[in-house]
Amino acid sequence: MAREILLNAFSNFGVASYAPGLWRHPEDKSANCTDISYWVELAEILERGGIDSLFLSDVLAAPNLEGREAGLRSGVGVPAGDPFTVIPAMAAVTDNLGFVVTGNVGYEHPFLFARRMSTLDHLTNGRIGWNIVTSSAFFTEDKGVAGELGSADRYQHADEYAEVCYRLWEGSWADDAVVRDHESGVHTRTDRIFDIDHASPHYQLHCLHQCAPSPQRTPVLFQAGVSAEGRGFASRHAEAILTGSLPRELVAMHVASVRQQAAEFGRDPRAVKCFAAVLIITAASDELAQEKYQDYIRYADAEGGRFFASTVMALDLTQFDWDMPVAELRDKVERPIEWFIREKLDGSPWTIRDLAITASVGLGAETIIGSPSTVADELQSWVDATDLDGFNLIAVTTPGTYADIVEHVIPELRRRGVYKQDYTPGTYRNKLTGRGDRLPVEHPAALYRVG
Ligand SMILES: Cc1cc2nc3c(=O)[nH]c(=O)nc-3n(C[C@H](O)[C@H](O)[C@H](O)COP(=O)(O)O)c2cc1C
């Protein structure tokens, strides 16, 4: 039987950040992202379609780059709000949607972070995930620990940070610590709660976790590093990984390498769920979907897209002519991490303008344009070719892109038997893995458990 496909909506607390200029499109409401009703509507649409989670990305600094005015003018990256804050409002109107929030280990003390995540896990009834990020080098400003670390040390520090969190989440309160005994007046058994003891280069803690155990304790762990160190970290810790926007062969290699390394750490390789980013533009027919794409292109902000491409390449593209072939930049680019740029450096006829427009509609992620059956064919063929578990859905318009997917693509996937008819009961971890609310014993966090 064909494998069930998992789907996350990939968004952030910003103004069409992944589609410069598209905030002006009638289907897009992201310019109102500071209005709580924007989030409530989005969550309701996603849950109606049985989408597994809303993945909230977050970059904690304005890009530090010459020429950034054009990006700021079109709302790319800034303004941005704090994604943690909108989760309870969405949890209140949904029962099953998961919420994966990006938590950067470089800026905040893990004690505070762990408390906030436990609180959210309680308030959502166990529907929280953590996207562990160490920061992209060119986004890191001189703030917090992130400013002090070179790239080689970032993952060592992330290990330290995760260990502190695991100790707080798993090792401070026993399962039977909270008794709430009305007769005796005992709320918490003091013999069942424990100070954690932790000493490492950046953190020394001797304290209790402030929150009583939440349904999942440790949130579902996501990670999206692309370097060898990043993959190593993911293999030890992550329950889900995101690959960058890469061609099929490279996605397949990335997935195989993380699964193999996870097995070497004694973990079940299939316990690491793998997702790739994809932009789906869909309508009732292939022709209507193509028309939709052309309509989006009309709203694309080439300056905003050029700025986004500049940040990825760590090169100010405003200094070059719009009609200059991208291939001429080959020797100037030090870090073209996004594949759609890397491949254009290799003698393609693309100009900087072409690159900018593509970056404005889906940031160069794999783009599928077509009817529900075209889209379903393509998603299934990706899964077959790469061993992916599912996709992170990029949006051109929010909530427009998701409303289209829910209306057109989900029924088709369900008809083919490759998408759940209904949510699995229980926590987000149980829905994702079918193996209960807590991390399995072979995960490193389980080392710190108290009985
Ligand atoms: C699909 C994807 C999504 C990411 N989302 C974020 C994010 O929301 N915030 C952030 O600071 N970094 C994000 N990153 C960056 C990575 O988490 C990681 O910090 C970065 O790629 C540098 O690590 P590396 O050297 O292992 O690649 C993302 C990366 C990928 C591939």
Side-chain angles (χ1 to χ4, degrees):
M1 203 182 110
R3 192 192 305 173
E4 267 193 10
I5 294 173
L6 301 169
L7 295 177
N8 306 318
F10 184 82
S11 195
N12 82 326
F13 195 152
V15 181
S17 300
Y18 300 122
L22 270 292
W23 58 269
R24 299 167 297 173
H25 193 281
E27 284 171 11
D28 192 275
K29 299 184 184 171
S30 64
N32 293 331
C33 61
T34 46
D35 187 338
I36 203 98
S37 63
Y38 169 81
W39 297 100
V40 166
E41 182 187 2
L42 178 59
E44 286 173 335
I45 290 170
L46 298 176
E47 182 148 293
R48 195 164 65 236
I51 301 296
D52 293 286
S53 80
L54 172 60
F55 181 101
L56 291 159
S57 67
D58 192 23
V59 176
L60 279 175
N64 241 343
L65 196 74
E66 289 296 315
R68 72 177 190 171
E69 284 69 24
L72 295 175
R73 208 162 36 235
S74 67
V76 179
V78 174
D82 178 340
F84 294 83
T85 58
V86 289
I87 292 171
M90 294 189 282
V93 296
T94 54
D95 296 316
N96 289 291
L97 182 66
F99 303 98
V100 182
V101 62
T102 297
N104 192 316
V105 298
Y107 293 86
E108 179 181 35
H109 197 285
F111 177 80
L112 288 174
F113 175 74
R115 187 177 75 152
R116 186 171 331 105
M117 291 303 265
S118 294
T119 308
L120 283 170
D121 201 46
H122 277 298
L123 292 175
T124 59
N125 210 6
R127 290 188 277 149
I128 284 293
W130 173 23
N131 176 35
I132 309 170
V133 302
T134 58
S135 279
S136 309
F138 39 81
F139 282 107
T140 305
E141 288 178 344
D142 193 11
K143 292 191 284 233
V145 176
E148 298 161 20
L149 295 173
S151 64
D153 299 329
R154 284 180 302 128
Y155 282 105
Q156 214 174 332
H157 170 251
D159 267 324
E160 234 182 289
Y161 195 98
E163 183 183 323
V164 175
C165 291
Y166 295 159
R167 284 181 189 276
L168 290 164
W169 287 325
E170 303 283 340
S172 188
W173 292 63
D175 287 339
D176 56 359
V178 175
V179 287
R180 291 189 189 133
D181 185 346
H182 286 243
E183 285 290 298
S184 63
V186 174
H187 182 277
T188 307
R189 280 179 58 184
T190 53
D191 60 329
R192 303 300 289 148
I193 56 176
F194 309 95
D195 287 318
I196 67 150
D197 261 311
H198 176 91
S200 62
H202 293 91
Y203 304 108
Q204 284 80 44
L205 289 91
H206 179 78
C207 62
L208 283 177
H209 186 41
Q210 278 194 302
C211 291
S214 66
Q216 301 181 114
R217 291 197 179 227
T218 298
V220 176
L221 303 167
F222 275 65
Q223 208 267 341
V226 287
S227 61
E229 293 83 7
R231 278 205 302 275
F233 182 89
S235 312
R236 287 192 302 283
H237 298 272
E239 299 173 88
I241 62 154
L242 310 182
T243 70
S245 299
L246 299 168
R248 285 179 196 213
E249 317 80 77
L250 295 184
V251 168
M253 278 167 59
H254 189 132
V255 169
S257 138
V258 169
R259 290 203 206 284
Q260 190 198 326
Q261 285 187 65
E264 285 162 18
F265 284 110
R267 301 180 60 204
D268 171 3
R270 296 237 61 96
V272 185
K273 303 292 175 197
C274 301
F275 297 88
V278 64
L279 169 64
I280 294 174
I281 296 174
T282 188
S285 67
D286 285 340
E287 296 69 32
L288 287 171
Q290 285 295 343
E291 278 174 29
K292 228 174 216 277
Y293 179 65
Q294 292 310 324
D295 179 45
Y296 292 144
I297 294 283
R298 279 193 282 281
Y299 286 84
D301 177 343
E303 289 206 15
R306 180 174 61 177
F307 172 69
F308 172 75
S310 298
T311 63
V312 174
M313 298 161 91
L315 178 69
D316 172 18
L317 295 176
T318 60
Q319 57 186 312
F320 308 112
D321 193 88
W322 280 107
D323 296 315
M324 178 173 160
V326 175
E328 287 180 26
L329 298 174
R330 198 189 159 90
D331 298 334
K332 298 187 170 61
V333 181
E334 284 171 19
R335 204 184 157 170
I337 59 164
E338 293 293 338
W339 186 263
F340 85 107
I341 292 178
R342 210 183 308 171
E343 64 177 355
K344 302 298 176 294
L345 295 173
D346 261 340
S348 93
W350 275 43
T351 64
I352 288 180
R353 188 185 311 280
D354 298 328
L355 191 68
I357 296 289
T358 304
S360 300
V361 180
L363 304 186
E366 173 71 18
T367 302
I368 307 174
I369 306 169
S371 67
S373 95
T374 303
V375 173
D377 284 348
E378 196 61 15
L379 293 180
Q380 283 188 268
S381 100
W382 262 86
V383 168
D384 292 343
T386 58
D387 200 23
L388 280 171
D389 295 281
F391 299 91
N392 261 15
L393 305 169
I394 300 219
V396 189
T397 64
T398 306
T401 299
Y402 301 120
D404 287 344
I405 291 170
V406 167
E407 182 186 344
H408 297 290
V409 178
I410 300 295
E412 177 64 19
L413 293 175
R414 282 186 170 145
R415 203 183 55 72
R416 296 178 181 209
V418 293
Y419 200 73
K420 62 186 165 312
Q421 297 296 332
D422 212 341
Y423 286 104
T424 305
T427 58
Y428 180 42
R429 176 170 288 114
N430 191 56
K431 292 179 202 309
L432 202 62
T433 64
R435 295 186 197 170
D437 304 334
R438 307 280 302 276
L439 278 163
V441 287
E442 62 272 21
H443 190 279
L447 268 181
Y448 306 106
R449 264 180 203 155
V450 281

